[in-house]
Amino acid sequence: MMKITMSAGKTTAFVACALALSCAPGPALFVHTARIGQASQPEMGQPVSFGNITRPDQAGHPKSDFALLSNQEDWDLFFADHPQHAQSRSVDFKRHVVLASYVAEPDASQLETTQVIDNGSAFHVYMREVFPGDGCKPHMGQRAYELITLPKSKKPVHVHVDSVRGAACGASVGATMACHLNSDPKWGGGNLVAKAGDVVECKASIQAGGRLVVDRTWLLTEAPKGSVTKLQFQDGGASVRFPVDVFGRYRVRVEVTDEDSKRGVAQTLVDAAVGEGTFVEMAWSNFELSSDASKFPKVELHATDVPGAPAAKHDCSVVTGGVDRPAWCEVQTHAASTLLRLHKEPPGRFAVHVKYVSERTDASPVLCVRTLSGGAVVTEGCDAVSRKAGAVWDLGMMDEASGGFDGRAILGKNGVANIELDQSLPAGVLALPDLERRYVARYYFDAQPAEGFRLAVTGGAAAPEVWAIVADGPYAEWDRKFGPGPAPPAISKAAVVAARAGAKVKLIVIESPRVTTKQGLGVGSSLADITAKLGPKSPFPVAALFGKDECAVSDGNVRFSFATCEEARAGGRVTRVVMGTPTPK
């Protein structure tokens, strides 16, 4: 089996079919291990459902390896030397592959998968490897292991293993941390709220009880995806500073070790908010923390209020400056990221695009752009396409008032625009003067009541694209009392009252092609479109929800519905998209 080791953390590449004597090329497998306390930053993308098939009869494998098992032959070869030759049992290798993970470190007591993300070009699997805490007895059992199933796909699989310590046993050295922003000289021991462009400085205080401190280690264990910031050491390592370069959360941590090898740990969270208004942010993903940002492809982010007009007074970008920059435009650049703030009066519409000044190859980091409004992410998309110098990535027309793009809205992890599963409807929706008119109540499945509001989520949309179904509304109560039947007209008023009192969204139903996934999949897509973007998918029959939806293809908590499975296989189109069961945050 081929292995390649790189960088300070460790990245190992495997050829997945190397287990078999002869096999068709399978997906590549890469394992990225981090130092204890260093956290992997999840890729931007869609959550992927995975199954845990870990069982006691799989313990004690003589190999310490990670492997993708694509068929029964792979399974049998991998477990050929296992004392119990664990059985695959109910694994459907036509639809799934098995990721078998056996760690090399004998002291690791636990291995668990926390999430799987599809960023469009690869699956990213995130795992935690737990070691005994300081002063604790070493783990004496079997090496930690876990087996999970993933959707079958030709996409490469990246496994990110974070190593953490359990709680300490006995007394340990103490550490506290104080930090401040360059805009505020006052030191404090709590978490900080910053903005892009701020510089954070932190120092540590150590309580060793007379014992000699032999090591002090600073780590930036968490940073937003796209950040290229790095710690800058001061005063011989007694303090550090780092610039805040993109929107999101940062976590700085200090670990101290005394002469008895006891450790003390302190950390501070820094949340970088963009503030009120509408923003377009450009940053990078799919790179190592040790990467040199100066070698990333050169790009320019543009937002233009009059497409085709001369740049002066109309183009918001790093290119236009001084008197040529529009009054409604503010530009911030930090390392490899760019942030545009748009504040036209009245709110305007902007053509957003990225120009590639230099070439982007398949080996380059992936460029991502997101829009934010009211401090929250509205849309997010990434461009993994190879681009020649001079090429343009056109994102479309953005509506400043909503932060969304005309003609489309993008499904996020748990919702679309500012409508999220398991959350109350946003204040802007609850304030709509025609909210009562948007109320819809009907039955689905086997006479189950469904009620909610039809809402527009794309800028400039002529008709609502989303039906936000809420839980425990007045129609459900009416049905329990009087049985199946049409909702009385007066119930819409009670529904608005319930929504404004905090009724939660339990399903999001989409019947418009203007709302899609990041891969562009939605109403009107074919089964071929879905498999081309998500890998092999098998349609399966389901109980009809609202008609013309007796077959489905699932991807995480998103269901693509077809009229029938026969139509799906014959080239039929998606009739509606349903999002349910929120993904854990």
Side-chain angles (χ1 to χ4, degrees):
M1 181 174 288
M2 182 186 74
K3 298 183 180 181
I4 302 173
T5 301
M6 307 162 53
S7 75
K10 190 172 69 174
T11 300
T12 305
F14 298 82
V15 175
C17 72
L19 290 169
L21 297 177
S22 63
C23 64
L29 175 63
F30 302 86
V31 180
H32 312 267
T33 57
R35 293 183 301 174
I36 290 181
Q38 192 79 40
S40 301
Q41 302 311 308
E43 287 288 321
M44 299 174 181
Q46 296 287 341
V48 175
S49 295
F50 63 92
N52 192 314
I53 59 169
T54 308
R55 297 190 304 272
D57 67 338
Q58 300 157 349
H61 200 291
K63 300 175 183 176
S64 298
D65 251 333
F66 290 75
L68 277 179
L69 313 179
S70 299
N71 49 49
Q72 187 63 49
E73 182 184 9
D74 283 354
W75 179 284
D76 290 341
L77 284 169
F78 184 77
F79 283 103
D81 298 328
H82 187 270
Q84 304 177 69
H85 198 125
Q87 301 300 306
S88 60
R89 298 186 186 177
S90 59
V91 177
D92 181 357
F93 284 110
K94 292 181 179 179
R95 299 176 56 195
H96 298 101
V97 297
V98 173
L99 173 60
S101 306
Y102 288 80
V103 302
E105 295 79 3
D107 202 23
S109 60
Q110 184 182 358
L111 183 68
E112 61 175 353
T113 302
T114 57
Q115 64 175 329
V116 180
I117 296 291
D118 179 0
N119 73 344
S121 59
F123 287 156
H124 291 263
V125 181
Y126 295 89
M127 291 182 161
R128 293 173 71 249
E129 181 182 30
V130 182
F131 290 84
D134 291 323
C136 299
K137 294 180 179 179
H139 172 67
M140 302 301 293
Q142 301 281 7
R143 294 175 190 262
Y145 68 100
E146 183 163 77
L147 278 76
I148 64 170
T149 57
L150 299 170
K152 197 147 197 169
S153 171
K154 294 181 179 179
K155 296 178 181 179
V157 177
H158 291 260
V159 181
H160 306 265
V161 183
D162 291 346
S163 299
V164 299
R165 291 194 180 277
C169 301
S172 61
V173 63
T176 57
M177 187 187 303
C179 301
H180 76 99
L181 303 176
N182 60 330
S183 57
D184 181 1
K186 183 179 179 181
W187 294 87
N191 298 329
L192 298 176
V193 176
K195 62 182 184 298
D198 283 340
V199 175
V200 179
E201 185 174 6
C202 297
K203 62 183 180 181
S205 299
I206 302 169
Q207 301 82 43
R211 298 185 299 275
L212 177 66
V213 173
V214 296
D215 186 42
R216 175 175 10 211
T217 303
W218 289 93
L219 298 167
L220 190 63
T221 60
E222 183 177 351
K225 205 66 191 176
S227 171
V228 295
T229 194
K230 292 179 173 64
L231 293 180
Q232 302 164 15
F233 298 92
Q234 305 179 127
D235 306 323
S239 65
V240 295
R241 64 198 304 267
F242 65 93
V244 174
D245 58 348
V246 297
F247 162 81
R249 169 164 286 187
Y250 301 76
R251 187 190 305 265
V252 60
R253 172 187 175 105
V254 64
E255 298 179 356
V256 294
T257 307
D258 67 15
E259 58 187 322
D260 296 327
S261 297
K262 295 292 184 68
R263 280 178 233 266
V265 175
Q267 66 179 18
T268 292
L269 299 179
V270 180
D271 286 311
V274 294
E276 292 301 316
T278 300
F279 298 81
V280 184
E281 184 183 57
M282 177 182 72
W284 296 91
S285 68
N286 210 32
F287 63 87
E288 300 290 339
L289 286 175
S290 57
S291 299
D292 182 355
S294 67
K295 297 181 180 179
F296 292 179
K298 301 297 185 290
V299 291
E300 298 169 357
L301 175 64
H302 295 259
T304 307
D305 66 338
V306 182
K313 304 297 186 184
H314 294 290
D315 178 52
C316 182
S317 70
V318 294
V319 178
T320 53
V323 296
D324 289 339
R325 181 167 290 170
W328 43 263
C329 163
E330 296 176 26
V331 180
Q332 297 180 32
T333 58
H334 310 286
S337 67
T338 300
L339 184 69
L340 308 181
R341 180 172 182 256
L342 310 175
H343 49 94
K344 199 168 184 180
E345 190 59 44
R349 297 168 68 248
F350 303 92
V352 180
H353 73 272
V354 174
K355 179 180 178 180
Y356 283 80
V357 179
S358 63
E359 182 181 13
R360 183 200 175 271
T361 67
D362 288 339
S364 302
V366 174
L367 184 66
C368 297
V369 172
R370 55 184 174 181
T371 63
L372 306 99
S373 183
V377 175
V378 178
T379 66
E380 184 175 88
C382 298
D383 183 34
V385 177
S386 296
R387 302 275 188 179
K388 297 292 185 183
V392 171
W393 175 27
D394 185 6
L395 286 92
M397 292 296 295
M398 190 198 77
D399 176 61
E400 180 187 347
S402 66
F405 285 91
D406 283 5
R408 68 168 185 160
I410 305 298
L411 284 174
K413 187 176 182 179
N414 284 322
V416 56
N418 55 357
I419 301 165
E420 290 198 19
L421 293 169
D422 204 31
Q423 301 294 319
S424 303
L425 289 169
V429 169
L430 297 175
L432 290 171
D434 62 343
L435 188 60
E436 184 180 338
R437 182 177 61 81
R438 296 171 180 266
Y439 177 73
V440 177
R442 55 186 293 193
Y443 285 92
Y444 74 110
F445 279 143
D446 185 15
Q448 298 296 312
E451 58 187 315
F453 301 88
R454 292 198 178 275
L455 305 168
V457 294
T458 61
E465 309 93 352
V466 166
W467 183 20
I469 298 178
V470 298
D472 300 323
Y475 189 40
E477 183 179 354
W478 185 88
D479 177 79
R480 286 193 291 268
K481 289 182 178 179
F482 303 105
I491 207 168
S492 59
K493 293 184 182 295
V496 171
V497 172
R500 289 173 176 162
K504 302 290 181 65
V505 176
K506 70 174 183 178
L507 282 177
I508 297 175
V509 180
I510 299 145
E511 297 179 334
S512 167
R514 291 190 296 268
V515 181
T516 69
T517 67
K518 293 177 184 177
Q519 298 90 351
L521 301 173
V523 172
S525 296
S526 66
L527 181 59
D529 295 331
I530 293 172
T531 56
K533 298 291 181 66
L534 303 179
K537 293 283 184 181
S538 298
F540 54 90
V542 294
L545 281 173
F546 305 109
K548 294 186 178 180
D549 55 4
E550 297 177 3
C551 182
V553 168
S554 291
D555 182 50
N557 63 347
V558 176
R559 173 184 286 188
F560 302 95
S561 299
F562 295 87
T564 65
C565 289
E566 290 73 17
E567 285 194 26
R569 296 187 184 97
R573 301 287 170 168
V574 172
T575 56
R576 63 174 54 86
V577 179
V578 180
M579 175 179 275
T581 313
T583 303
K585 296 183 177 179

